């Protein structure tokens, strides 16, 4: 294999640039040419590519986001779009493709593999919602960013004897909310895996807050994932209003939002991004396509794309149980 392509697709995640940097370096060591495709599958269809082979990416690899850009591309859901993607790949002489993104991006990668383009996926999503890997690139950074912001909110909430309701990202997967709630010693955590729609128990939560107050603590902290009551707009505010009505406590809602997607990758995210970028190129070099790379029990692994996508969502019941136990003790 002499020429490979690389693209980032779906939501951006800190560490994507580090993965690209590592892949380009590894490819260079094999004398491979690397073409960077701009804006995900859209750039592939619109023929927007740049030669990365001799580009010095060392100043970019520490930055959050993705310098290649990312965009939605609904044409990839159509036969015409998929055929054009394959045509352009062949036309550029690309013999293997690395796709960094989430499950949607992997579905695109699977289609390309089925059509004869060896394709390797790297998990780039802050949500950590890919069941086949313990961690995805960007998750750790997003947690650290959220923790930093929440600690600031906690300071002022404590000064004013207020209750904070803080919404963090995670539409289908509550991993950010759960990890962060442990790290900031939150009093209550609401996860999509546990509290879909309006099933969280508002009375129970109200009693819980009043109990905390009865025990002499006026300030408390509730973390909710955005996937809880996903269909409602202003979810955190609605929860704040419902709790205020029931408890009379002074409650404030904050939505952390896109701050969680940006910033330089943490050491952990840089490390896994680099290891995964290197593995992706090595797989293509060995002629292995139709794979996704992940990390399981601290080892970099690769598995079949379909197998990865077919895995049922995982939920760390044990960690959730521990968070509940610690908050109730
Ligand atoms: P993520 O990769 O973060 O899950 P999306 O679900 O938005 O993000 O998917 C990113 C892109 O992947 C889409 O804009 C589309 O171009 C491509 N994609 C998603 N699903 C498919 C599919 N079933 N077939 C082909 N391409 C897909």
């Amino acid at each position: 294999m002499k020429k490979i392509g690389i693209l980032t697709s779906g939501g951006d995640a800190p560490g994507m640039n580090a993965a690209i940097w590592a892949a380009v370096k590894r490819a260079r060591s094999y004398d491979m040419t690397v073409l960077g495709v701009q804006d995900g599958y859209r750039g592939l269809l619109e023929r927007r590519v740049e030669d990365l082979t001799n580009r010095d990416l060392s100043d970019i690899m520490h930055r959050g986001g993705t310098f290649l850009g990312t965009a939605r591309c609904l044409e990839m859901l159509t036969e015409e779009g998929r055929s054009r993607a394959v045509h352009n790949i062949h036309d550029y002489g690309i013999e293997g493709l690395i796709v960094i993104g989430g499950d949607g991006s992997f579905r695109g990668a699977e289609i390309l593999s089925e059509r004869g383009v060896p394709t390797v996926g790297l998990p780039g999503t802050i949500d950590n919602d890919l069941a086949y890997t313990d961690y995805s690139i960007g998750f750790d950074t997003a947690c650290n960013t959220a923790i930093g912001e929440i600690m600031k909110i906690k300071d002022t909430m404590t000064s004013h004897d207020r209750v904070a309701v803080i919404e963090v990202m995670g539409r289908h997967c509550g991993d950010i909310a759960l990890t962060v709630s442990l790290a900031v010693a939150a009093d209550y955590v609401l996860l999509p895996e546990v509290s879909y729609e309006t099933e969280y128990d508002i009375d129970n939560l109200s009693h819980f807050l009043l109990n905390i107050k009865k025990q002499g603590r006026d300030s408390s902290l509730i973390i909710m994932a955005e996937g809880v009551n996903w269909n409602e707009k202003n979810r955190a505010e609605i929860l704040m209003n419902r709790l205020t009505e029931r408890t009379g406590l002074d409650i404030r809602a904050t939505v952390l939002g896109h701050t969680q997607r940006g910033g330089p990758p943490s050491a952990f995210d840089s490390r896994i991004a680099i290891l995964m970028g290197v593995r992706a190129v090595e797989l293509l070099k060995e002629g292995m396509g139709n794979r996704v790379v992940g990390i399981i029990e601290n080892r970099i692994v690769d598995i079949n794309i379909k197998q990865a996508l077919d895995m049922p969502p995982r939920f760390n019941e044990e960690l959730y149980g521990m968070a509940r136990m610690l908050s109730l003790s």
Side-chain angles (χ1 to χ4, degrees):
M1 195 167 288
K2 279 285 157 209
K3 192 189 268 184
I4 62 171
I6 187 161
L7 62 81
T8 49
S9 168
D12 65 344
M16 283 180 160
N17 288 329
I20 299 166
W21 171 82
V24 170
K25 288 282 227 185
R26 189 69 180 114
R28 221 182 283 161
S29 76
Y30 288 137
D31 283 329
M32 284 175 170
T33 300
V34 186
L35 297 186
V37 182
Q38 289 163 9
D39 293 336
Y41 294 115
R42 188 188 290 173
L44 186 58
L45 297 188
E46 295 173 359
R47 301 179 63 88
R48 288 186 281 116
V49 302
E50 55 185 306
D51 191 339
L52 300 180
T53 315
N54 296 312
R55 208 172 136 182
D56 180 6
L57 300 175
S58 53
D59 284 345
I60 295 176
M61 59 91 72
H62 313 282
R63 287 195 211 145
T66 160
F67 78 94
L68 286 176
T70 177
R72 288 178 78 204
C73 173
L74 296 180
E75 291 99 307
M76 271 302 283
L77 306 182
T78 67
E79 178 51 40
E80 199 271 326
R82 291 168 176 175
S83 303
R84 190 141 47 94
V86 174
H87 172 270
N88 286 344
I89 286 168
H90 290 319
D91 202 44
Y92 279 116
I94 294 172
E95 296 163 275
L97 184 69
I98 299 171
V99 171
I100 313 177
D103 62 342
S105 307
F106 286 0
R107 283 181 210 286
E110 190 190 8
I111 301 277
L112 296 177
S113 287
E114 277 168 9
R115 293 172 185 222
V117 180
T119 305
V120 175
L122 303 187
T125 160
I126 63 163
D127 286 357
N128 210 33
D129 57 354
L130 294 163
Y132 77 94
T133 180
D134 289 347
Y135 297 105
S136 55
I137 298 167
F139 167 69
D140 183 65
T141 310
C143 287
N144 289 333
T145 303
I147 290 164
E149 299 296 300
I150 293 167
M151 293 316 289
K152 290 175 198 154
I153 296 168
K154 199 172 173 179
D155 287 345
T156 170
M157 292 293 143
T158 311
S159 307
H160 288 274
D161 295 340
R162 284 176 180 147
V163 176
V165 171
I166 302 176
E167 180 186 305
V168 299
M169 282 188 167
R171 187 169 162 182
H172 302 293
C173 174
D175 276 17
I176 293 180
L178 182 53
T179 300
V180 156
S181 76
L182 276 165
V184 301
D187 296 290
Y188 211 98
V189 61
L190 293 166
L191 307 174
E193 291 90 340
V194 184
S195 8
Y196 267 117
E197 303 306 325
T198 49
E199 280 169 22
Y200 59 77
D201 189 337
I202 193 76
D203 292 324
N204 184 33
L205 185 45
S206 305
H207 284 137
F208 182 77
L209 291 181
L210 289 172
N211 246 342
I212 290 179
K213 188 169 170 63
K214 226 186 264 169
Q215 286 163 14
R217 184 152 58 88
D218 290 312
S219 170
S220 48
L221 184 52
I222 301 166
I223 306 288
M224 73 186 291
E226 65 177 342
V228 174
N229 290 6
W230 171 252
N231 291 323
E232 270 175 1
K233 278 208 167 88
N234 308 324
R235 293 169 290 268
E237 213 176 300
I238 289 172
L239 178 58
M240 172 186 77
N241 290 335
R242 296 176 77 191
L243 287 173
T244 307
E245 230 171 70
R246 281 174 167 75
T247 63
L249 294 169
D250 187 4
I251 307 177
R252 299 296 154 99
T254 309
V255 179
L256 290 190
H258 283 85
T259 177
Q260 295 159 94
R261 303 195 81 95
S266 65
F268 181 83
D269 276 334
S270 291
R271 181 168 150 235
I272 65 170
I274 289 165
L275 292 174
M276 289 178 182
V278 166
R279 172 67 71 91
V281 174
E282 289 172 351
L283 285 169
L284 291 176
K285 174 76 180 164
E286 288 160 20
M288 303 263 289
N290 203 14
R291 310 291 287 174
V292 285
V293 179
I295 179 164
I296 297 174
E297 292 176 356
N298 215 21
R299 291 169 67 92
I300 300 295
V301 296
D302 57 271
I303 68 168
N304 175 273
I305 301 183
K306 184 171 167 31
Q307 214 179 322
L309 287 173
D310 284 348
M311 284 187 187
R314 56 172 165 69
F315 175 55
N316 196 334
E317 295 270 358
E318 206 179 318
L319 199 60
Y320 177 65
M322 191 184 291
R324 299 278 293 168
M325 179 273 292
L326 291 172
S327 73
L328 293 174
S329 308

